[in-house]
Structure formats: C-alpha cells, structure tokens
Short mmCIF file of all heavy atoms in Angstrom, two decimals:
data_model
loop_
_atom_site.label_atom_id
_atom_site.label_comp_id
_atom_site.label_asym_id
_atom_site.label_seq_id
_atom_site.Cartn_x
_atom_site.Cartn_y
_atom_site.Cartn_z
N ILE A 906 0.99 -13.75 -4.53
CA ILE A 906 1.38 -15.17 -4.55
C ILE A 906 0.31 -15.99 -5.25
O ILE A 906 0.61 -16.85 -6.09
CB ILE A 906 1.64 -15.69 -3.12
CG1 ILE A 906 2.88 -15.02 -2.54
CG2 ILE A 906 1.78 -17.21 -3.10
CD1 ILE A 906 3.11 -15.30 -1.06
N ALA A 907 -0.97 -15.72 -4.92
CA ALA A 907 -2.07 -16.46 -5.56
C ALA A 907 -2.07 -16.24 -7.07
O ALA A 907 -2.26 -17.18 -7.86
CB ALA A 907 -3.41 -16.02 -4.96
N ARG A 908 -1.84 -15.01 -7.49
CA ARG A 908 -1.81 -14.72 -8.93
C ARG A 908 -0.64 -15.44 -9.60
O ARG A 908 -0.79 -15.99 -10.70
CB ARG A 908 -1.68 -13.21 -9.16
CG ARG A 908 -1.79 -12.81 -10.63
CD ARG A 908 -1.75 -11.30 -10.78
NE ARG A 908 -1.96 -10.90 -12.17
CZ ARG A 908 -1.02 -10.82 -13.10
NH1 ARG A 908 0.25 -11.13 -12.77
NH2 ARG A 908 -1.30 -10.45 -14.33
N GLU A 909 0.51 -15.45 -8.95
CA GLU A 909 1.66 -16.17 -9.51
C GLU A 909 1.36 -17.67 -9.65
O GLU A 909 1.89 -18.33 -10.55
CB GLU A 909 2.89 -15.98 -8.62
CG GLU A 909 3.48 -14.59 -8.65
CD GLU A 909 4.10 -14.23 -9.99
OE1 GLU A 909 4.69 -15.13 -10.62
OE2 GLU A 909 3.95 -13.08 -10.43
N MET A 910 0.49 -18.20 -8.80
CA MET A 910 0.16 -19.62 -8.83
C MET A 910 -0.99 -19.92 -9.79
O MET A 910 -1.40 -21.08 -9.91
CB MET A 910 -0.16 -20.11 -7.43
CG MET A 910 1.01 -20.04 -6.48
SD MET A 910 0.67 -20.81 -4.88
CE MET A 910 0.67 -22.56 -5.33
N GLY A 911 -1.51 -18.89 -10.45
CA GLY A 911 -2.51 -19.14 -11.48
C GLY A 911 -3.89 -18.58 -11.21
O GLY A 911 -4.80 -18.81 -12.01
N ALA A 912 -4.10 -17.88 -10.12
CA ALA A 912 -5.41 -17.30 -9.86
C ALA A 912 -5.78 -16.34 -10.98
O ALA A 912 -4.94 -15.53 -11.41
CB ALA A 912 -5.41 -16.56 -8.52
N PRO A 913 -7.03 -16.38 -11.49
CA PRO A 913 -7.42 -15.51 -12.60
C PRO A 913 -7.70 -14.08 -12.15
O PRO A 913 -8.80 -13.55 -12.29
CB PRO A 913 -8.69 -16.20 -13.13
CG PRO A 913 -9.28 -16.86 -11.94
CD PRO A 913 -8.10 -17.32 -11.11
N ILE A 914 -6.66 -13.45 -11.60
CA ILE A 914 -6.74 -12.07 -11.13
C ILE A 914 -5.91 -11.21 -12.09
O ILE A 914 -4.72 -11.47 -12.29
CB ILE A 914 -6.21 -11.94 -9.69
CG1 ILE A 914 -7.07 -12.74 -8.73
CG2 ILE A 914 -6.16 -10.47 -9.26
CD1 ILE A 914 -6.50 -12.85 -7.31
N ASP A 915 -6.55 -10.21 -12.68
CA ASP A 915 -5.84 -9.37 -13.65
C ASP A 915 -5.06 -8.24 -13.00
O ASP A 915 -4.06 -7.78 -13.56
CB ASP A 915 -6.85 -8.77 -14.64
CG ASP A 915 -7.46 -9.83 -15.53
OD1 ASP A 915 -8.41 -10.50 -15.09
OD2 ASP A 915 -6.97 -10.01 -16.65
N GLY A 916 -5.51 -7.78 -11.84
CA GLY A 916 -4.81 -6.68 -11.20
C GLY A 916 -5.28 -6.44 -9.78
O GLY A 916 -6.21 -7.08 -9.29
N PHE A 917 -4.61 -5.50 -9.14
CA PHE A 917 -4.86 -5.19 -7.73
C PHE A 917 -4.98 -3.68 -7.56
O PHE A 917 -4.40 -2.90 -8.32
CB PHE A 917 -3.71 -5.69 -6.85
CG PHE A 917 -3.54 -7.18 -6.86
CD1 PHE A 917 -2.78 -7.79 -7.85
CD2 PHE A 917 -4.13 -7.97 -5.90
CE1 PHE A 917 -2.61 -9.17 -7.88
CE2 PHE A 917 -3.97 -9.35 -5.90
CZ PHE A 917 -3.21 -9.94 -6.90
N VAL A 918 -5.73 -3.31 -6.53
CA VAL A 918 -5.74 -1.93 -6.08
C VAL A 918 -5.19 -1.91 -4.66
O VAL A 918 -5.74 -2.56 -3.77
CB VAL A 918 -7.16 -1.32 -6.10
CG1 VAL A 918 -7.10 0.15 -5.65
CG2 VAL A 918 -7.78 -1.44 -7.48
N ALA A 919 -4.08 -1.21 -4.47
CA ALA A 919 -3.52 -1.00 -3.13
C ALA A 919 -4.25 0.20 -2.53
O ALA A 919 -4.01 1.34 -2.93
CB ALA A 919 -2.03 -0.74 -3.22
N ALA A 920 -5.16 -0.07 -1.60
CA ALA A 920 -6.00 0.98 -1.02
C ALA A 920 -5.59 1.23 0.42
O ALA A 920 -5.65 0.33 1.25
CB ALA A 920 -7.48 0.57 -1.09
N THR A 921 -5.17 2.44 0.73
CA THR A 921 -4.71 2.75 2.08
C THR A 921 -5.48 3.94 2.65
O THR A 921 -6.20 4.65 1.95
CB THR A 921 -3.20 3.10 2.11
OG1 THR A 921 -2.99 4.41 1.59
CG2 THR A 921 -2.38 2.10 1.30
N ASN A 922 -5.27 4.14 3.94
CA ASN A 922 -5.79 5.34 4.60
C ASN A 922 -4.72 6.44 4.50
O ASN A 922 -3.90 6.43 3.57
CB ASN A 922 -6.21 5.03 6.04
CG ASN A 922 -5.08 4.42 6.87
OD1 ASN A 922 -3.89 4.66 6.61
ND2 ASN A 922 -5.44 3.63 7.87
N SER A 923 -4.70 7.35 5.44
CA SER A 923 -3.75 8.47 5.37
C SER A 923 -2.30 8.04 5.49
O SER A 923 -1.38 8.85 5.28
CB SER A 923 -4.08 9.51 6.45
OG SER A 923 -5.34 10.09 6.19
N ASN A 924 -2.06 6.78 5.82
CA ASN A 924 -0.70 6.22 5.83
C ASN A 924 -0.41 5.67 4.43
O ASN A 924 -0.47 4.46 4.19
CB ASN A 924 -0.60 5.14 6.90
CG ASN A 924 -0.82 5.68 8.28
OD1 ASN A 924 0.08 6.24 8.89
ND2 ASN A 924 -2.05 5.55 8.81
N HIS A 925 -0.10 6.58 3.49
CA HIS A 925 -0.03 6.20 2.08
C HIS A 925 1.40 6.09 1.57
O HIS A 925 1.74 6.55 0.47
CB HIS A 925 -0.86 7.16 1.22
CG HIS A 925 -0.68 8.62 1.52
ND1 HIS A 925 0.25 9.41 0.88
CD2 HIS A 925 -1.32 9.43 2.40
CE1 HIS A 925 0.16 10.65 1.34
NE2 HIS A 925 -0.79 10.69 2.27
N THR A 926 2.23 5.43 2.35
CA THR A 926 3.64 5.25 1.97
C THR A 926 3.78 4.51 0.64
O THR A 926 4.57 4.91 -0.23
CB THR A 926 4.39 4.48 3.08
OG1 THR A 926 4.28 5.19 4.31
CG2 THR A 926 5.85 4.30 2.73
N VAL A 927 3.04 3.42 0.48
CA VAL A 927 3.18 2.61 -0.75
C VAL A 927 2.56 3.30 -1.97
O VAL A 927 3.18 3.32 -3.04
CB VAL A 927 2.64 1.18 -0.53
CG1 VAL A 927 2.51 0.43 -1.86
CG2 VAL A 927 3.57 0.41 0.41
N PRO A 928 1.34 3.87 -1.88
CA PRO A 928 0.87 4.66 -3.04
C PRO A 928 1.85 5.75 -3.46
O PRO A 928 2.03 5.99 -4.67
CB PRO A 928 -0.45 5.25 -2.53
CG PRO A 928 -0.96 4.21 -1.59
CD PRO A 928 0.26 3.71 -0.89
N ASP A 929 2.49 6.39 -2.50
CA ASP A 929 3.49 7.41 -2.85
C ASP A 929 4.68 6.78 -3.59
O ASP A 929 5.21 7.36 -4.55
CB ASP A 929 3.99 8.12 -1.59
CG ASP A 929 2.97 9.06 -1.00
OD1 ASP A 929 1.87 9.19 -1.58
OD2 ASP A 929 3.24 9.66 0.07
N TRP A 930 5.10 5.60 -3.14
CA TRP A 930 6.20 4.89 -3.81
C TRP A 930 5.82 4.53 -5.25
O TRP A 930 6.60 4.75 -6.18
CB TRP A 930 6.56 3.63 -3.02
CG TRP A 930 7.43 2.67 -3.76
CD1 TRP A 930 8.68 2.88 -4.26
CD2 TRP A 930 7.09 1.31 -4.11
NE1 TRP A 930 9.14 1.74 -4.89
CE2 TRP A 930 8.21 0.77 -4.82
CE3 TRP A 930 5.98 0.50 -3.87
CZ2 TRP A 930 8.21 -0.54 -5.29
CZ3 TRP A 930 5.99 -0.81 -4.35
CH2 TRP A 930 7.10 -1.31 -5.05
N ILE A 931 4.62 4.01 -5.42
CA ILE A 931 4.17 3.63 -6.76
C ILE A 931 4.12 4.87 -7.66
O ILE A 931 4.47 4.82 -8.83
CB ILE A 931 2.80 2.93 -6.68
CG1 ILE A 931 2.96 1.56 -5.99
CG2 ILE A 931 2.20 2.75 -8.08
CD1 ILE A 931 1.64 0.86 -5.71
N SER A 932 3.68 5.99 -7.09
CA SER A 932 3.53 7.21 -7.87
C SER A 932 4.88 7.85 -8.22
O SER A 932 5.11 8.27 -9.36
CB SER A 932 2.67 8.21 -7.11
OG SER A 932 2.51 9.40 -7.83
N THR A 933 5.79 7.91 -7.24
CA THR A 933 7.03 8.68 -7.43
C THR A 933 8.26 7.83 -7.68
O THR A 933 9.28 8.33 -8.17
CB THR A 933 7.31 9.53 -6.18
OG1 THR A 933 7.64 8.67 -5.08
CG2 THR A 933 6.12 10.41 -5.83
N GLY A 934 8.19 6.54 -7.30
CA GLY A 934 9.37 5.69 -7.39
C GLY A 934 10.27 5.78 -6.18
O GLY A 934 11.29 5.09 -6.10
N LYS A 935 9.91 6.62 -5.19
CA LYS A 935 10.71 6.78 -3.98
C LYS A 935 9.96 6.19 -2.79
O LYS A 935 8.84 6.61 -2.49
CB LYS A 935 11.01 8.25 -3.73
CG LYS A 935 11.86 8.90 -4.81
CD LYS A 935 12.08 10.37 -4.52
CE LYS A 935 12.92 11.03 -5.61
NZ LYS A 935 13.10 12.49 -5.36
N TYR A 936 10.60 5.22 -2.12
CA TYR A 936 10.00 4.62 -0.94
C TYR A 936 10.49 5.37 0.29
O TYR A 936 11.69 5.37 0.60
CB TYR A 936 10.37 3.14 -0.84
CG TYR A 936 9.82 2.48 0.41
CD1 TYR A 936 8.47 2.22 0.54
CD2 TYR A 936 10.67 2.13 1.46
CE1 TYR A 936 7.96 1.62 1.68
CE2 TYR A 936 10.17 1.53 2.60
CZ TYR A 936 8.82 1.27 2.71
OH TYR A 936 8.32 0.69 3.84
N THR A 937 9.56 6.04 0.97
CA THR A 937 9.93 6.88 2.12
C THR A 937 9.09 6.50 3.33
O THR A 937 7.98 7.01 3.52
CB THR A 937 9.70 8.37 1.80
OG1 THR A 937 10.35 8.69 0.55
CG2 THR A 937 10.26 9.25 2.90
N PRO A 938 9.57 5.55 4.16
CA PRO A 938 8.82 5.21 5.37
C PRO A 938 8.72 6.41 6.29
O PRO A 938 9.59 7.29 6.29
CB PRO A 938 9.64 4.08 6.00
CG PRO A 938 10.99 4.18 5.39
CD PRO A 938 10.83 4.80 4.05
N ARG A 939 7.67 6.45 7.10
CA ARG A 939 7.41 7.61 7.94
C ARG A 939 6.64 7.17 9.17
O ARG A 939 6.10 6.06 9.21
CB ARG A 939 6.60 8.64 7.16
CG ARG A 939 5.21 8.14 6.76
CD ARG A 939 4.65 8.84 5.55
NE ARG A 939 5.36 8.47 4.34
CZ ARG A 939 4.95 8.83 3.10
NH1 ARG A 939 3.87 9.56 2.94
NH2 ARG A 939 5.64 8.48 2.04
N PRO A 940 6.56 8.01 10.20
CA PRO A 940 5.75 7.66 11.38
C PRO A 940 4.29 7.46 10.98
O PRO A 940 3.77 8.17 10.10
CB PRO A 940 5.92 8.87 12.30
CG PRO A 940 7.19 9.51 11.86
CD PRO A 940 7.28 9.28 10.38
N SER A 941 3.63 6.50 11.60
CA SER A 941 2.24 6.23 11.26
C SER A 941 1.31 7.29 11.84
O SER A 941 1.62 7.96 12.83
CB SER A 941 1.82 4.85 11.76
OG SER A 941 1.99 4.75 13.15
N ILE A 942 0.14 7.43 11.21
CA ILE A 942 -0.89 8.38 11.61
C ILE A 942 -2.10 7.59 12.08
O ILE A 942 -2.52 6.64 11.41
CB ILE A 942 -1.27 9.28 10.43
CG1 ILE A 942 -0.06 10.06 9.92
CG2 ILE A 942 -2.42 10.22 10.79
CD1 ILE A 942 -0.29 10.73 8.57
N ALA A 943 -2.69 7.97 13.20
CA ALA A 943 -3.88 7.27 13.71
C ALA A 943 -5.10 7.62 12.86
O ALA A 943 -5.35 8.78 12.55
CB ALA A 943 -4.13 7.66 15.16
N THR A 944 -5.86 6.59 12.46
CA THR A 944 -7.06 6.78 11.64
C THR A 944 -8.19 5.89 12.14
O THR A 944 -8.01 5.07 13.03
CB THR A 944 -6.78 6.44 10.16
OG1 THR A 944 -6.72 5.02 10.02
CG2 THR A 944 -5.49 7.07 9.66
N LEU A 945 -9.35 6.03 11.50
CA LEU A 945 -10.50 5.19 11.84
C LEU A 945 -10.30 3.74 11.40
O LEU A 945 -10.90 2.83 11.97
CB LEU A 945 -11.78 5.75 11.19
CG LEU A 945 -12.24 7.12 11.69
CD1 LEU A 945 -13.43 7.60 10.87
CD2 LEU A 945 -12.61 7.08 13.17
N SER A 946 -9.48 3.54 10.38
CA SER A 946 -9.16 2.18 9.92
C SER A 946 -7.82 1.78 10.52
O SER A 946 -6.82 1.61 9.82
CB SER A 946 -9.14 2.13 8.38
OG SER A 946 -8.35 3.17 7.85
N ASN A 947 -7.82 1.59 11.83
CA ASN A 947 -6.57 1.54 12.60
C ASN A 947 -5.67 0.36 12.27
O ASN A 947 -4.46 0.43 12.44
CB ASN A 947 -6.87 1.53 14.09
CG ASN A 947 -7.69 0.33 14.52
OD1 ASN A 947 -8.91 0.37 14.44
ND2 ASN A 947 -7.05 -0.74 14.94
N ALA A 948 -6.23 -0.76 11.80
CA ALA A 948 -5.39 -1.91 11.47
C ALA A 948 -4.48 -1.62 10.29
O ALA A 948 -3.54 -2.38 10.03
CB ALA A 948 -6.25 -3.14 11.19
N MET A 949 -4.75 -0.52 9.58
CA MET A 949 -3.94 -0.12 8.43
C MET A 949 -3.01 1.04 8.77
O MET A 949 -2.40 1.62 7.86
CB MET A 949 -4.85 0.27 7.27
CG MET A 949 -5.70 -0.89 6.75
SD MET A 949 -7.23 -0.33 5.96
CE MET A 949 -6.59 0.71 4.65
N ASP A 950 -2.89 1.38 10.04
CA ASP A 950 -2.06 2.53 10.44
C ASP A 950 -0.60 2.12 10.51
O ASP A 950 -0.02 1.93 11.59
CB ASP A 950 -2.54 3.09 11.78
CG ASP A 950 -3.91 3.72 11.69
OD1 ASP A 950 -4.41 3.92 10.57
OD2 ASP A 950 -4.49 4.02 12.75
N VAL A 951 0.02 1.99 9.34
CA VAL A 951 1.41 1.53 9.23
C VAL A 951 2.14 2.49 8.30
O VAL A 951 1.77 2.64 7.13
CB VAL A 951 1.48 0.09 8.68
CG1 VAL A 951 2.93 -0.38 8.66
CG2 VAL A 951 0.61 -0.85 9.49
#
C-alpha cells in the first residue's frame, strides 16, 4: 500500500520460516494452504 502511494521502495522480500506457503505460491503459481508448523519465530507460524 505504501509503495502504491509513492514510497520509494523498489521491491520486497517475502521472508518466512518453515511455513512457506507464499514462497511456494510465488515459485510454482499454486497456492496451497496447509497446517502450520511450530517454529522459533512463532508469530509467523501461519
């Protein structure tokens, strides 16, 4: 949203833990939600 409003951001890195549903989607084109896995970065366990 910030970039759409003019923020001088050229790109983003979507960085996840072992719950890598979105990186897999970006890589394969298939969005496959799955049960979450518990990790040390627990706020990202989605």
